[in-house]
Amino acid sequence: MIDLRSDTVTRPSAGMLAAMTSAPLGDDVYGEDPTVTELEETVAGLLGHEAGLFTVTGSLANILGVRALVAPGSEVLCEASAHIARAELGAHAAISGITTRTWSAPGGQIDLDQIRALIAPDLGPYFVTTSAVSVENTHNFGGGTIQTAYDALADELDALGMPLHLDGARLWNASVASGVPMSAFGSRAAAASVCLSKGLGAPVGSVLVGSAELIREARVWRKRLGAGWRQAGVLAGAGLYAIRNNVERLAEDHAHAREIAEILADAAPGSVKPDQVDTNIVVADLAATGKTVASVVAAAKAEGVLVGGVGVTQLRLVTHLDASAEACRTAAETIARLLH
Ligand SMILES: *Cc1c(COP(=O)(O)O)cnc(C)c1O
């Protein structure tokens, strides 16, 4: 099977497993796991922040990061297909009492005009207060897109004194593809999360970064939600290995995604624009092909290729370190044949 459903499907390599089994361990609830502490400090440093918090998922890092910036009964703004709005199962409302209003833009991009029109910092006692804006970079369901107006939005929010939350699950991909250092993105946000379990290939884990005070509070809430953990260095060791070995190679995944997009664009013109594939995600719109996502997913599976749907007409292929150039080409040619 060639599995391009997500970059979360990777298995730890021999080198990563060795790093996990040799990691020094302690009880992290007591703050005594040296490997967890090293991971948290490493990621905080990379993103230009004072402190970090290792979490079991990116969703938890986002739940903790957003709630640190947005009080119950107030709102966060985000793009309509943002992970925090679509894929965290209402956690920000169900757990934190936070409401959401959204803008909608091609590729999940920042749209400054729409955001300006949505921001309601204090309209009196009849309107929900906007407490933060959340941006996803790269944007997952937007097709792995890099935000082009990231700094412009950060400048405007700075001027308003409104905090930016960065869902940087795939910020590594944005950084490698653009050449912009992680810190240049991270330092613009009051709270930012990155995933270790996506393209970096670790089995588990994300890190939330922010000020020392924000992370102190997030650590309390992590424990309150039942997600404190003990000798978690066995997992943090995988994260450190991933950061040291698997970041630069993301460029290979980006090249593979571009090639997949070119093959699909040839087979189904207009379904995807290869020059808009910034990183490791290809979202192809099947609307004009007359095929349904479900039928293409099933037919591809029968031919040994796993892909996923992210919308009624949208097929998603994600490249990663366990899918070679040849496997990606085979997958694309299989889908192309099915679309033809
Ligand atoms: C994967 C992902 C997350 C976190 O997902 P978990 O499965 O909870 O680790 C958050 N944001 C985006 C954009 C993602 O793609």
Side-chain angles (χ1 to χ4, degrees):
M1 280 288 184
I2 299 170
D3 194 346
L4 301 185
R5 287 171 302 169
S6 175
D7 45 8
T8 56
V9 300
T10 58
R11 311 270 201 307
S13 63
M16 184 178 282
L17 286 168
M20 294 169 75
T21 54
S22 63
L25 305 176
D27 189 327
D28 181 55
V29 170
Y30 291 117
E32 289 173 3
D33 188 299
T35 311
V36 170
T37 302
E38 186 181 356
L39 174 68
E40 291 174 343
E41 287 174 355
T42 299
V43 176
L46 277 172
L47 271 77
H49 279 271
E50 279 177 350
L53 182 69
F54 186 35
T55 60
V56 67
T57 59
S59 297
L60 182 58
N62 285 340
I63 290 164
L64 298 174
V66 170
R67 78 154 305 292
L69 304 177
V70 183
S74 58
E75 71 183 5
V76 60
L77 305 181
C78 65
E79 203 274 331
S81 61
H83 197 277
I84 68 162
R86 265 195 90 190
E88 294 172 11
L89 309 190
H92 302 269
I95 296 169
S96 306
I98 293 166
T99 58
T100 306
R101 282 188 303 141
T102 59
W103 72 93
S104 191
Q109 287 284 343
I110 289 164
D111 182 319
L112 290 172
D113 287 336
Q114 289 189 60
I115 294 169
R116 280 184 208 118
L118 285 168
I119 285 180
D122 183 10
L123 295 181
Y126 306 110
F127 291 96
V128 176
T129 296
T130 309
S131 295
V133 177
S134 180
V135 167
E136 194 170 305
N137 206 4
T138 67
H139 197 294
N140 179 352
F141 300 131
T145 39
I146 299 171
Q147 298 290 346
T148 54
Y150 183 77
D151 279 328
L153 174 64
D155 289 343
E156 290 204 16
L157 295 180
D158 279 351
L160 292 170
M162 168 101 38
L164 175 64
H165 171 260
L166 170 59
D167 178 353
R170 295 186 182 80
L171 193 67
W172 317 95
N173 298 81
S175 173
V176 167
S178 64
V180 174
M182 295 289 281
S183 59
F185 292 112
S187 61
R188 302 305 311 263
S193 62
V194 292
C195 281
L196 305 163
S197 59
K198 301 273 168 81
L200 260 49
V204 167
S206 283
V207 180
L208 172 71
V209 300
S211 68
E213 189 189 335
L214 184 145
I215 293 299
R216 207 177 305 116
E217 189 199 352
R219 197 177 290 280
V220 170
W221 270 94
R222 185 186 64 171
K223 180 77 164 65
R224 187 168 284 139
L225 294 172
W229 44 10
R230 304 295 179 173
Q231 287 73 28
V234 70
L235 298 170
L240 282 166
Y241 179 92
I243 291 167
R244 287 170 188 152
N245 294 279
N246 294 345
V247 174
E248 292 310 317
R249 63 149 308 285
L250 292 172
E252 295 170 32
D253 297 343
H254 302 164
H256 299 164
R258 188 65 73 95
E259 189 179 355
I260 289 171
E262 280 161 4
I263 292 169
L264 297 184
D266 275 348
S271 62
V272 56
K273 297 198 177 73
D275 63 343
Q276 289 177 11
V277 172
D278 291 344
T279 57
N280 70 324
I281 299 178
V282 181
V283 173
D285 195 322
L286 307 188
T289 68
K291 314 269 188 203
T292 66
V293 167
S295 72
V296 173
V297 168
K301 186 175 180 184
E303 299 201 28
V305 174
L306 298 177
V307 294
V310 292
V312 181
T313 64
Q314 290 170 318
L315 194 71
R316 188 183 74 161
L317 296 88
V318 187
T319 60
H320 54 75
L321 78 172
D322 284 354
S324 66
E326 195 192 339
C328 291
R329 200 172 308 124
T330 302
E333 285 165 356
T334 302
I335 304 287
R337 217 177 327 106
L338 295 172
L339 295 182
H340 217 50

